[in-house]
Amino acid sequence: MSDPTPSWVDPAPLPDVTNPQPVVVRLADTQYLVNQTPVVYIRRASLINDAASLTAAGRISISFAPEYERVQLHAIHIHRGQDRLDRTGTSTIRFLQREQALEQGLYSGRVTASILIDDLRAGDTLDVSYSIHGQNPVFAGKYTASTGWDQAFPTLLRRVILNHPAERQIAWRMIGDRPARPVVPIDTVRDGMRRIEFEQRALPETIGEQQTLPDFFTFRFLQFSEFASWADVANWANTLFPAISIGSELHEAAQRIRKLDSDQARVSAALEFVQTNIRYFSVSMGESSHRPAPPDEVQRRRYGDCKDKSYLLIALLRELGIQSRPVLLQQGRKSGLERTLPSAQFFDHAIVQVTVEGSSFYLDPTRLGQYGRLDRMGQAHEGAQVLIVAPETSELSTIASANIAELVRQDTAERATLSSFSEPGQLQIRIVWNGVKAEQMRLSHERISHDQFLRWMGSSLERRYPGATLAGEPAVSDDRLNNTFSITAAYKVPQLAVDRSGNWVVYFSPENLKDILLTPATATRTTPLRIPGYPFEGTYTFEMTFPEAVSVVSDPHAETIKNKYFTNTVSSYFRGNMAKVSVDLAALRSHVDAEDTGKYAEDLRAANKSIGGFFAVGKSSIKSTEEAGTAELPQRLRKLRQELIDKTTETIKNGKLASSDVADAHCIRSNALSDLQRFDEAAQDANEAVRLVPNSPSTLGCRAFNYFNAGQFDKSIADYSKAVSLGTQESEIFRMRGLARLYSGRLENAQSDLARASELADKEAKTYLDLWLVAIGGRLGAKVPDSIITRAAAESNGEWPRPALAMLTGSMSPEELLKRMDEKKGDDRQMALAEGYFYLGQHYLVAGDKKTAASYFQKTRDLDIFLYIEHVAAGYELQRLKDDGTAASAPPTANRTVAQ
């Protein structure tokens, strides 16, 4: 049985169609009549050209709320060729109460009229029309509605008509974030009724892109609202949460909470009471979709949804004399409401704003696992636009936690040890979660048995290290006051190092940083790409102790990739048998602008590449049995340098390199020869490199480096200056020119160069440059910049050479620095001493104790770690002190040519 089409509806003829696509919407017509009982008329006629689309097209679903809505079915027609077949009476209609979100604790009471169309064939046009009468009375007669404009299929005619009494002020807005041709309506008034007609023909299909930011309105929609402003919406919402007295049971709970010693503690206790005593379940039928149940009723039945729990928390806090207010927001969407008309229709979640000691906090009573300090509780709605329900509200607000960087941190530290390549290794992992993640881990840990926890921990490394097993009981620490949760576990790893093409490789994986930034499927997009982990800050460190026979010389190095969407810094070093990598990642924005997707993807690939994911030890870095027993580090370094010279010589003789590559090869050999103090041979290579590529900062820097090592500072400065004039932005060029100027007596120029080098350097190189800047500043009698002093003090316990900088700036004593260096082992200790002794010499030199300074410079020379600039510079310092009359046990050898 059908109902006739209402007389107020303006019928539209079906457009002719020649489009061969699988589905074509011939007509999408939506018409509204605003009166005492609002009505919406919907007609949709779709051509189905292929059999695969018949299943979805042949079943129509109409959802409505029977408490305040009723549905009228007007017609179901099939247009087949020249025939119009009436299927209104023959189609099967069933009314289903499908609570699809029941498992999530939501009971809406909505009913679906499911209509199954019979005898629908490919090539048919299915034409369905119906009306829905009524509107939720909770809106107190204020009219709100919205309807989609863009369609998922090509559409020949899209039309929307709004009819309403002219005296009612109902605003409209077309909302959508994709560029589109404006739709200009026809606006007429007749017999006291205003009619606004929107029409657009030949709409192309709108295709959504994966990973699009939810805040982006991909599909345009028309919105209508009778709310005049956000203040009007807030005033409406205020009537839903009236002040109300609480009963005896809640009063007793408030009395217990009142005994706590601070408002912070009382708010935390009241929140915990509501979160843990009232289970989440939503019965959103009729006005209860927006109007909360009275607090005493919620307490009695021990369940409620977001608005019920929020209302209960507000009632408790009011009883305690603590200011709080309801807050409305839309889950899953952080922004975009400013582009819509003021309306109540978008809000689907309620939380609470509480003011304590002059600070505001946003609390979600539907969450669990929250305790302790309010400023340390996880904020799941960070950055969300909200409407604070209060008489003074006139605009939307945004949740912005002052300490959000602390709340979103996740840090993982892994420390591995391998005593022999043929034996299993040991691995210790410590993971620390904060904020929302700490609360999630706390709940997960509480909900699983001890055996399940051990199985989970035991299998967590299986993919990276097959056969890895727990070694002992994991340690769990739950700091509820500060809302941190941590797990420390030790593992035995059968194959920590694996043989790959003659190299021993140890893999690591920053699991806590994965899925924060996702690589887009394509570099070309039309919609913003969501950054799923935002907001996030975290660190991953992997520290590896190899067998003692391993000896690698790789100074601390950092690579930073920074754009407006994320910053990623990878710091690494490998000295002796100690290797460490540290990755710092911060997500800076919720999304990537469509036009930046290509550059973002490129930066992300570079960031992943810089992490690497493994440490490799080649055969040349493993001491033989004989070397392990007799050879000192300097001899091994000389042997490695000679091997580099030999291999480079062979490469040059092959004659297969391009001229620029040949120049690079000459530079490599020149630098190695210079390190061995074979300056004349090094000069021949450097000159050849400059001849081949005369205007290259790289080749000029190569020759300048040899001049510096040979003590020919003026020539070194000239080459470095020419490199600078060519526009180089290499930190190393400015650093070395600064040192050449220092030892030629031009301290102010040296200070300027080193400051510029510091601006261009990565964070590891910056620490070394700060050491030089402090030393030069001391000679000039200049005050050490506060920024360096502050950073040095904060990082005094950090990785080498940060303790040396702490000593030079006064936050660590020389004796303590010596102790820190002595704690190191093997070749790593020798390398640290070679640098540390030099900077101790600088400390005493600035202090005026030239004799002690000379002794430390001599210790640097005696260690003979000739690759280090500190070794070369110590020779120049000793020569100068000797010229000044300060005793030195041995003269520097920087200006001698060492025979082969």
Side-chain angles (χ1 to χ4, degrees):
M1 182 175 178
S2 63
D3 295 299
T5 300
S7 60
W8 57 270
V9 169
D10 180 16
L14 289 183
D16 292 332
V17 59
T18 57
N19 197 318
Q21 290 185 252
V23 177
V24 178
V25 179
R26 296 177 66 181
L27 173 65
D29 193 17
T30 308
Q31 301 186 37
Y32 297 93
L33 175 63
V34 180
N35 53 23
Q36 189 171 1
T37 301
V39 186
V40 56
Y41 166 85
I42 298 169
R43 183 185 175 194
R44 188 177 182 90
S46 300
L47 169 65
I48 302 96
N49 281 320
D50 75 319
S53 301
L54 288 174
T55 299
R59 186 173 59 84
I60 307 298
S61 295
I62 305 171
S63 177
F64 64 101
E67 289 79 19
Y68 54 83
E69 291 179 329
R70 64 183 178 90
V71 176
Q72 286 185 317
L73 178 63
H74 303 306
I76 301 175
H77 291 135
I78 291 177
H79 301 270
R80 183 177 296 159
Q82 299 301 315
D83 298 328
R84 189 178 77 160
L85 310 176
D86 192 342
R87 294 286 188 267
T88 311
T90 60
S91 297
T92 302
I93 303 176
R94 289 184 174 87
F95 292 91
L96 309 174
Q97 193 163 350
R98 300 184 303 168
E99 294 295 344
Q100 296 178 342
L102 194 61
E103 290 77 10
Q104 288 76 47
L106 177 62
Y107 183 87
S108 68
R110 294 189 70 84
V111 170
T112 299
S114 181
I115 307 172
L116 184 62
I117 314 298
D118 61 355
D119 190 24
L120 183 65
R121 307 175 189 179
D124 288 350
T125 293
L126 178 61
D127 188 355
V128 180
S129 60
Y130 60 90
S131 297
I132 300 178
H133 299 248
Q135 179 174 287
N136 195 330
V138 77
F139 295 120
K142 291 275 192 180
Y143 185 74
T144 64
S146 62
T147 183
W149 187 264
D150 291 325
Q151 307 291 308
F153 302 105
T155 302
L156 302 185
L157 174 60
R158 177 66 176 121
R159 187 175 71 160
V160 175
I161 299 174
L162 175 68
N163 300 281
H164 69 87
E167 70 272 10
R168 295 182 67 170
Q169 300 299 310
I170 300 178
W172 67 269
R173 183 175 294 177
M174 180 73 80
I175 297 167
D177 290 329
R178 278 181 162 173
R181 188 177 65 194
V183 179
V184 180
I186 299 172
D187 193 334
T188 59
V189 177
R190 182 177 179 182
D191 297 331
M193 292 293 290
R194 183 184 182 195
R195 183 181 191 272
I196 310 174
E197 180 179 355
F198 304 83
E199 181 180 298
Q200 187 172 356
R201 294 181 180 272
L203 270 76
E205 62 183 333
T206 298
I207 301 175
E209 294 177 296
Q210 292 183 343
Q211 300 173 247
T212 295
L213 181 73
D215 301 352
F216 186 85
F217 296 112
T218 300
F219 289 77
R220 288 177 296 168
F221 66 96
L222 262 173
Q223 182 194 6
F224 304 106
S225 179
E226 202 169 1
F227 287 96
S229 64
W230 290 113
D232 198 11
V233 180
N235 289 333
W236 160 80
N238 201 40
T239 65
L240 305 177
F241 297 87
I244 190 171
S245 298
I246 60 176
S248 59
E249 190 174 356
L250 285 177
H251 181 74
E252 289 175 7
Q255 288 298 98
R256 292 194 301 271
I257 294 171
R258 195 188 306 277
K259 294 177 182 178
L260 297 175
D261 59 4
S262 69
D263 278 351
Q264 279 250 4
R266 296 181 190 109
V267 171
S268 179
L271 178 64
E272 182 182 351
F273 176 87
V274 177
Q275 288 181 336
T276 58
N277 285 280
I278 310 299
R279 74 181 188 275
Y280 182 86
F281 193 83
S282 175
V283 180
S284 298
M285 301 173 63
E287 290 196 36
S288 65
S289 61
H290 291 75
R291 191 181 302 280
D296 286 324
E297 180 183 340
V298 175
Q299 171 66 11
R300 177 190 58 78
R301 67 192 188 190
R302 294 299 180 107
Y303 71 77
D305 59 15
C306 59
K307 59 187 178 298
D308 300 328
K309 295 178 68 131
S310 293
Y311 196 19
L312 174 53
L313 177 58
I314 290 167
L316 269 179
L317 295 175
R318 184 182 293 115
E319 183 73 11
L320 295 169
I322 298 172
Q323 180 184 346
S324 62
R325 297 180 290 192
V327 175
L328 306 181
L329 58 89
Q330 184 180 17
Q331 293 206 89
R333 184 184 296 278
K334 296 298 181 70
S335 64
L337 290 180
E338 79 284 354
R339 303 195 292 279
T340 68
L341 292 171
S343 173
Q345 71 183 103
F346 295 110
F347 298 120
D348 59 7
H349 192 53
I351 60 175
V352 176
Q353 183 201 55
V354 61
T355 302
V356 180
E357 299 169 358
S359 297
S360 292
F361 303 96
Y362 292 87
L363 310 177
D364 189 338
T366 67
R367 295 185 57 78
L368 290 170
Q370 294 188 303
Y371 309 94
R373 291 166 44 191
L374 298 180
D375 65 343
R376 290 291 305 175
M377 288 183 181
Q379 183 48 262
H381 308 295
E382 182 67 25
Q385 286 180 323
V386 298
L387 186 73
I388 300 171
V389 181
E392 65 272 19
T393 293
S394 60
E395 296 293 342
L396 296 166
S397 301
T398 299
I399 296 178
S401 305
N403 61 332
I404 188 60
E406 301 171 21
L407 298 179
V408 297
R409 282 203 68 82
Q410 184 183 338
D411 299 311
T412 296
E414 299 181 344
R415 180 172 294 180
T417 305
L418 188 65
S419 57
S420 169
F421 286 115
S422 61
E423 296 179 3
Q426 291 78 44
L427 177 65
Q428 185 184 73
I429 300 178
R430 175 176 169 77
I431 309 174
V432 181
W433 294 272
N434 293 269
V436 171
K437 288 293 184 182
E439 293 154 8
Q440 292 172 344
M441 291 303 301
R442 180 178 297 123
L443 289 174
S444 297
H445 186 254
E446 290 174 351
R447 290 170 178 171
I448 62 175
S449 68
H450 182 64
D451 288 343
Q452 288 174 318
F453 173 65
L454 291 181
R455 284 197 297 272
W456 174 64
M457 291 297 299
S459 62
S460 62
L461 286 182
E462 186 66 26
R463 185 170 56 181
R464 197 200 322 176
Y465 303 123
T469 56
L470 272 173
E473 183 82 7
V476 176
S477 176
D478 184 1
D479 182 350
R480 296 192 170 196
L481 178 64
N482 295 300
N483 197 23
T484 64
F485 191 89
S486 65
I487 298 176
T488 304
Y491 296 85
K492 182 179 180 181
V493 185
Q495 287 187 306
L496 181 60
V498 292
D499 190 346
R500 293 286 185 267
S501 304
N503 296 314
W504 286 105
V505 178
V506 174
Y507 293 96
F508 55 84
S509 180
E511 296 293 331
N512 62 316
L513 308 183
K514 290 184 176 180
D515 299 329
I516 304 300
L517 308 169
L518 293 182
T519 303
T522 174
T524 303
R525 291 181 65 91
T526 60
T527 59
L529 175 73
R530 182 188 178 202
I531 297 179
Y534 175 83
F536 176 86
E537 289 192 15
T539 298
Y540 170 82
T541 61
F542 183 83
E543 187 173 344
M544 179 71 207
T545 303
F546 283 94
E548 291 185 1
V550 172
S551 180
V552 175
V553 182
S554 178
D555 282 345
H557 171 74
E559 184 174 347
T560 297
I561 295 174
K562 184 175 183 179
N563 52 45
K564 60 185 178 181
Y565 305 111
F566 71 88
T567 177
N568 184 81
T569 298
V570 180
S571 306
S572 61
Y573 76 84
F574 200 156
R575 284 187 166 187
N577 66 330
M578 303 293 297
K580 184 173 182 179
V581 64
S582 179
V583 186
D584 297 290
L585 174 66
L588 306 178
R589 286 183 59 181
S590 62
H591 66 280
V592 179
D593 295 332
E595 62 270 20
D596 294 338
T597 306
K599 181 62 168 58
Y600 166 82
E602 180 183 328
D603 286 348
L604 189 52
R605 283 192 295 269
N608 291 330
K609 183 179 179 181
S610 68
I611 293 172
F614 63 88
F615 286 119
V617 177
K619 293 179 180 179
S620 63
S621 298
I622 302 176
K623 304 174 188 176
S624 65
T625 304
E626 179 182 345
E627 288 177 322
T630 60
E632 296 291 337
L633 178 60
Q635 282 69 45
R636 289 196 69 253
L637 294 177
R638 285 185 168 82
K639 179 182 176 182
L640 292 172
R641 272 294 180 265
Q642 185 59 53
E643 289 177 357
L644 177 61
I645 291 169
D646 294 342
K647 290 179 180 178
T648 309
T649 299
E650 183 178 346
T651 299
I652 294 172
K653 286 182 177 179
N654 283 338
K656 297 180 179 180
L657 299 177
S659 60
S660 60
D661 295 329
V662 173
D664 290 341
H666 279 291
C667 276
I668 291 171
R669 189 168 67 179
S670 173
N671 289 341
L673 288 164
S674 187
D675 286 336
L676 294 176
Q677 297 187 346
R678 291 156 60 177
F679 300 128
D680 291 342
E681 296 171 78
Q684 292 175 16
D685 269 326
N687 286 329
E688 178 63 12
V690 172
R691 186 190 69 79
L692 290 170
V693 189
N695 291 313
S696 164
S698 176
T699 56
L700 289 166
C702 160
R703 187 169 69 180
F705 175 75
N706 184 56
Y707 283 143
F708 177 84
N709 281 349
Q712 300 179 42
F713 302 127
D714 288 341
K715 290 184 177 181
S716 179
I717 293 168
D719 272 351
Y720 281 129
S721 295
K722 185 174 180 181
V724 170
S725 71
L726 293 172
T728 182
Q729 295 297 306
E730 292 183 32
S731 172
E732 184 65 8
I733 296 290
F734 287 95
R735 179 179 84 110
M736 289 306 302
R737 187 174 73 170
L739 297 184
R741 283 174 163 175
L742 167 64
Y743 291 110
S744 67
R746 308 169 198 177
L747 268 63
E748 290 85 357
N749 290 337
Q751 186 180 46
S752 176
D753 271 343
L754 289 165
R756 178 58 179 154
S758 181
E759 293 174 5
L760 298 171
D762 64 56
K763 75 171 190 176
E764 295 299 331
K766 189 182 292 291
T767 303
Y768 282 101
L769 290 161
D770 285 345
L771 285 160
W772 284 104
L773 284 168
V774 171
I776 293 175
R779 298 186 189 200
L780 290 170
K783 182 180 180 298
V784 179
D786 291 338
S787 59
I788 294 181
I789 294 175
T790 301
R791 185 167 63 252
E795 299 178 352
S796 61
N797 293 319
E799 298 295 338
W800 185 262
R802 287 163 180 80
L805 183 61
M807 182 275 301
L808 269 189
T809 54
S811 56
M812 180 182 291
S813 68
E815 293 74 21
E816 189 175 356
L817 177 63
L818 288 167
K819 181 179 178 181
R820 290 285 299 275
M821 292 189 295
D822 203 46
E823 290 172 352
K824 291 179 172 288
K825 297 179 181 179
D827 293 344
D828 185 32
R829 178 176 178 273
Q830 293 293 96
M831 297 174 201
L833 287 172
E835 295 172 330
Y837 285 154
F838 178 79
Y839 295 113
L840 281 165
Q842 295 293 332
H843 166 77
Y844 285 108
L845 191 64
V846 171
D849 187 349
K850 294 183 178 181
K851 186 172 183 180
T852 303
S855 70
Y856 277 112
F857 291 139
Q858 189 60 52
K859 286 183 178 182
T860 299
R861 296 290 297 180
D862 292 342
L863 285 169
D864 198 22
I865 310 300
F866 61 90
L867 297 182
Y868 284 178
I869 198 68
E870 289 83 1
H871 172 82
V872 178
Y876 297 142
E877 297 287 4
L878 285 169
Q879 182 65 58
R880 198 181 62 161
L881 288 171
K882 181 180 179 182
D883 293 344
D884 290 344
T886 301
S889 60
T893 59
N895 292 311
R896 290 189 291 111
T897 299
V898 180
Q900 297 185 40

